[in-house]
Amino acid sequence: MKTFLQETTESIINITENQKDTICIVPSERAGVYLKNAFKEALKGKVSFLPKIVSVENFIKEISGLENIDQISLLFEFFKIYQKENKKLKSDTFERFIGWATIVIQDFNEIDRHLVNASEIFEYLTDVQKIKDWSPSSTEITDTINNYMSFVGDLHLYYKELGKVLIDKKVGYQGLVYRQAYKNCEAYLRNHQQNHFHFIGFNALNKAEEEIFKSFLALEHNHIYWDADDYYMEGAHEAGTFMRKFFDEWQCLQKGKRKNWIHNHFSQKKNIQILGSPLNVTGLKSVTTLLDEELVANETALVLAEETLLPVVLNSIPPSINKVNITMGYQLSNIPLSGLFQSIFELHLNKDKLGKNDFYHKDILSFLRHSYISKISNNNSEKVINTINQNNLVFVSHSQMLTFFTSSGLDKSLAVLFDPVDDISVFIERIIQFINYLNTGLDGIELLYVEGFRKVFQEISNLNMTYKYIDNIKVLYKIFKKILPLESIDFRGEALEGMQLMGVLETRCLDFKNVIITSVNEGILPTGASERSFISFEVKKQFQMPTYLAKDAIFSYHFYRLIQRAENVYLLYNTTSDDFGRGEMSRFLTQLMIDKEADVTHRNIVSKINNYTKKAREIEKTPKVMEVLSSYFEKGASPSRIIDYIRDPLSFYENMVLKIRKPESVEEEVASNTMGTVVHDSLELLYLPHKGKKIQVEDLKKMKASLKEVVSSKFKEYFKDGEVKTGKNKLISEVAEKFVESFLDKELYDLASGKEIVIIDLEGKYECSVTTPNGNQVVLVGKIDRIDEVDGVRRIVDYKTGVVKSSDLKLGDLTLSTSDYKYHKIIQVMMYVLLYTEDQHFDLDQFELQTGIYSFRNFKEGFLGMNFATNRQKKDQRVTREHLGAFRQTLFRLIDEILDDKFNFIEKLDAPYKKEA
C-alpha cells in the first residue's frame, strides 16, 4: 500500500510542470524529511528540481517577518513591561511574577493564534467576574475581588505593550507570530504569485492558520491534500471534527478535487491487538520481543503517548535492533543530570531554610553521591563522604568543606559551588564553570545532556546581565524549574533508517506497516480536561477559542490516522488504577473494539510468576575460610560473635570471614546503641574512683551531683558534633541521664536497706584458653560491665538499655542454651561466668556467684539474676559447678561445629534480623 506522502508526491508531480516554483508546507520537520525522500523516489532517473519543503511553523515565521522568542527572554521582557505599567502600590517580585506570568503568556498566545479581539475578551472577563461576585444582599466588594478585577483589567494593557515591544524587536511568541502572519498574508501572496503552494496533511488549524490557508487556496494553482478516512469523516466521529467543519465552511473547498483526498483504508483487514498490563514495563517488554521475532524494524513505529517512558523503552529494545531513530525531544527535567543541579540549589536553599550558616549533611551527600560526581572525581568524593560520616557532622561549615575538598584532591570547580552566594551572577558563572568541568569527565550521550543545561544557564546569565531581575538563589531556582520542562534535548539520527521511536505529534503525515502505541489510557490519550488558564471554559467557547474538547478531537485524529494504513497494530494500556483514575483504558480502544470487532484481539499481559521456594544458601568451609576461623578463635572469640552464629550462620560468615561491615553514616538522631554506650561509660566513669571499695551513701550523692556533666561529656565523645540540646536528641540525652540516675537511686535504696555493696571491677576484660572435645584450642574473650559483691554474694552484672524480662534469663537445662537464638541473653551472661571463673580461678563451691542483667527499661524489677530452677514458681540464682559444666558442654560443642569443615555455613531463613541495641 502506498503511503499518504507517496500519493501526495505523485499528485504534485502530475499537476506541476516545474518543481522549482513549488512550495510544500507540511505540519512538522519530520514530515518534511519523509516528503523529500518521497520526491527523490518518485523523480528517480529524472533531472528535476526538488520543491521547497517547509514546516508550517517556519512558513508562518517567513510570512510574519518575526523570529520566535524563547520562553526565558519572553519572561524577562514581560516583567519589564509589568514593572513599567503596573500602578499598584506594591508590585509582585520577579519570583511571584513567574508563578502567574507563564499562564498569562499562554493565554496571550491562544488569543492571538485564534485572532480574538483582545479588548473584547478582557472586558468580557471583567464583566463575567462582576456578575459572579454580584449579590442582592450585599454591595460590598472585598479586597480580593478588587485585586482580581484590577489584575484582569491590567492584562489588556500588558498584552498591548508586550506585543508592541516584541514587534519592534522583530520577535514574537508563537501567537503573535501567527497574528502578524495573518496581517501580512495578502502582501506575501502578491510577492509570490509565481509560486505554487501545496498544503499537505493538516487537520486541526488555529483561526490564523485557517484564514491564511483560505487566502492561499482562493487561488486555483494552490492545493491542499487531506489525509483522512471515510471511517471518521462520516457521521459525527470525533476524529473528523475539524475536517468536516472546513468542508462545510470554507468556500475554497467547494470546488474541484480539494476535498476528494478521503480514502477507505481503515475498513481493510488489520491485525489489532489491545494489550493490558498492570505495569508499563511489563507491556513494553512483551511487545518489544515481537521486534525480535515477527516485526521488521524498518517498517515499525513505536509511539509513546507518555513520553516520560522513553528511558524504559530504550532499555526494553532487544539487542537485535541496532538502529533506532528517536524523533522526539527529551525534556531536560527528565534527565538524571537535572537531579545534580537540583542538589546544588538545595545545598544553599536548605542552609537558609534551616536557619544555619552551615550546609546540611544530607544535601552534601546527595551532591557528592550523584553518579556523575563519582565518575568525574574518580571516586575521590567518597573520601569527603567518609570524613563527614566518621565525624558525625550533621552540619558542615564552609571552611570545613574547603578543608575536606583540599585533602581529598577534589577539583576547585566543585569546591567553589559551596562558596557563599553573595552575587547571583557570580553563582551562575560558577555553575557554567562546573558544566565545563563536567565536559572533561563525561562522554557519549552525557555530553549532549550537559550541553542542554549549559544552554539554559548561559541564557539565564545573558538575560540577567541585561535586566538584573534575579537577585537571589531562590528566584534563580524558580526560573530554573519553570524552564526545564520547556527545554528538551533533540536526539540525532538517520531519519529514514531503523525503527522509529516517536511521540504522537511526530507521526503526522507518516505511515507505517507496524504500529505500537503505548499508554493508551484515559487521561493520557486523550489527555482529558486539564488546562491552566485565566480564561474560563465558557469564555473560550464564547470567543470560539479551543478548549480541552478540541484537544481530544486532535488526538483522536492522530490516533485513527496512524492506524488507518497500518497492517499490524499493538495498543498498550496500563490496567493499574491510581487516585487520579488512571488504569482505565482509553475510549479510543473501546470504540475500536466495537467498530473493528473482527480484527481486534483484547488480552491482558501478566508477568510470568514462577513458583519460587527460597532455599537456604550454603557456603562451603574452604581451607581459606578455615584459616580465617582458626585465626579468629586463636585471637579470642567474644560472646556476641558466638550469638551471631546461633542467630544465622550465614551472617556470621559475612561478618567474620568476609568482613562485611555496615557503611558509616551520619547519626543525626542518637541511635539506641550510642545511648547504650553513653550509659555504660557514664556508670564506669562515676564508679571508677570507688573500684575495690565499699560504696558509701556520700559516694553515691557525689555521683548524682556530677552525673549530668559526665553524661554530657560522653555524648560529646560518641555523638561527636551531633546536636543534643534540641529536639528528639535532647529527649534521648535526658533519658540517658534518667537511666544513670535511676541506677544510683537504686544503689542508695539498697544501702538504706542495710545492704553492703563492694565494687570489684568495672568494664573489665577477661579471657581464657580452653580445649574443646574435638581438640580445638580456642581463646574466649569478653568485657564485663560490672562485677560487684552484695552482702557477700559475688555478682557478674551486664547492663542493657533495652527491655529484658526475668523470663529471658530462666532455663533449667543449660544444654539447650545454644539451640535457639531466644536464649542469647543466657549465653552472654553464662559466657561471662566462664570467662571470670577461668580467668580469676574463682571457686564456685566455696563462694556464691550470681550472674544477670540490669535492664534500664525494666528497672522496677531490679537485678534480673540468671534462674536455673526447673520449677516455674521457684528461683535458683546461684551458679554451681554443675550449671557451668552443662553450659561448657553445649558451648564447646557449638565451637567444634563452627570449626569443623564438614559443617558448612547454612543460612537460617527464619533468623531474627533485628539485633538488640
Side-chain angles (χ1 to χ4, degrees), residues 11 87 171 232 287 320 328 336 361 368 395 446 559 590 593 710 807 860 875 885:
S11 177
K87 306 302 181 186
V171 294
Y232 50 79
V287 170
S320 59
M328 63 175 63
H361 75 281
L368 294 177
F395 290 95
E446 294 169 341
F559 177 79
T590 306
M593 287 191 288
V710 169
S807 58
K860 62 182 180 181
K875 269 189 179 182

Side-chain angles (χ1 to χ4, degrees), residues 126-135 145 536 538-539:
T126 306
D127 292 341
V128 167
Q129 192 60 41
K130 287 178 180 177
I131 293 170
K132 284 182 179 179
D133 296 328
W134 178 81
S135 170
I145 295 171
S536 66
E538 293 79 8
V539 175

Side-chain angles (χ1 to χ4, degrees), residues 58-70:
N58 288 333
F59 180 62
I60 296 296
K61 275 167 50 179
E62 183 183 344
I63 300 174
S64 70
L66 302 180
E67 287 295 324
N68 284 330
I69 186 172
D70 63 84

Side-chain angles (χ1 to χ4, degrees), residues 488-632:
S488 61
I489 295 292
D490 292 324
F491 295 97
R492 300 182 182 95
E494 178 50 57
L496 302 171
E497 291 187 15
M499 187 186 76
Q500 300 297 313
L501 183 53
M502 48 188 24
V504 175
L505 293 180
E506 280 78 36
T507 65
R508 288 173 291 184
C509 295
L510 308 184
D511 297 303
F512 301 93
K513 180 179 179 181
N514 311 308
V515 173
I516 303 169
I517 308 179
T518 69
S519 306
V520 192
N521 283 81
E522 201 67 27
I524 300 176
L525 191 66
T527 55
S530 56
E531 285 187 311
R532 298 183 69 209
S533 174
F534 288 111
I535 306 174
S536 66
F537 178 85
E538 293 79 8
V539 175
K540 285 186 175 183
K541 286 191 71 175
Q542 174 66 27
F543 284 86
Q544 298 182 347
M545 294 172 65
T547 64
Y548 69 87
L549 297 174
K551 192 184 295 184
D552 287 357
I554 291 170
F555 280 95
S556 177
Y557 169 77
H558 292 317
F559 177 79
Y560 290 105
R561 193 215 63 79
L562 189 57
I563 293 174
Q564 68 193 26
R565 285 183 177 81
E567 295 180 15
N568 302 298
V569 181
Y570 302 88
L571 305 168
L572 278 66
Y573 72 97
N574 191 339
T575 60
T576 304
S577 60
D578 61 18
D579 295 336
F580 301 100
R582 299 277 180 94
E584 181 184 352
M585 71 160 68
S586 171
R587 60 179 181 270
F588 297 166
L589 300 185
T590 306
Q591 192 166 0
L592 263 184
M593 287 191 288
I594 295 170
D595 296 345
K596 295 283 288 182
E597 184 179 2
D599 296 344
V600 174
T601 302
H602 181 205
R603 57 190 172 93
N604 286 335
I605 302 171
V606 180
S607 297
K608 186 178 180 181
I609 301 175
N610 297 320
N611 291 327
Y612 175 68
T613 303
K614 187 176 182 182
K615 293 182 180 179
R617 291 175 290 170
E618 185 172 346
I619 304 296
E620 181 185 353
K621 290 179 181 174
T622 64
K624 184 64 177 175
V625 170
M626 293 304 301
E627 183 183 330
V628 175
L629 289 174
S630 298
S631 175
Y632 172 68

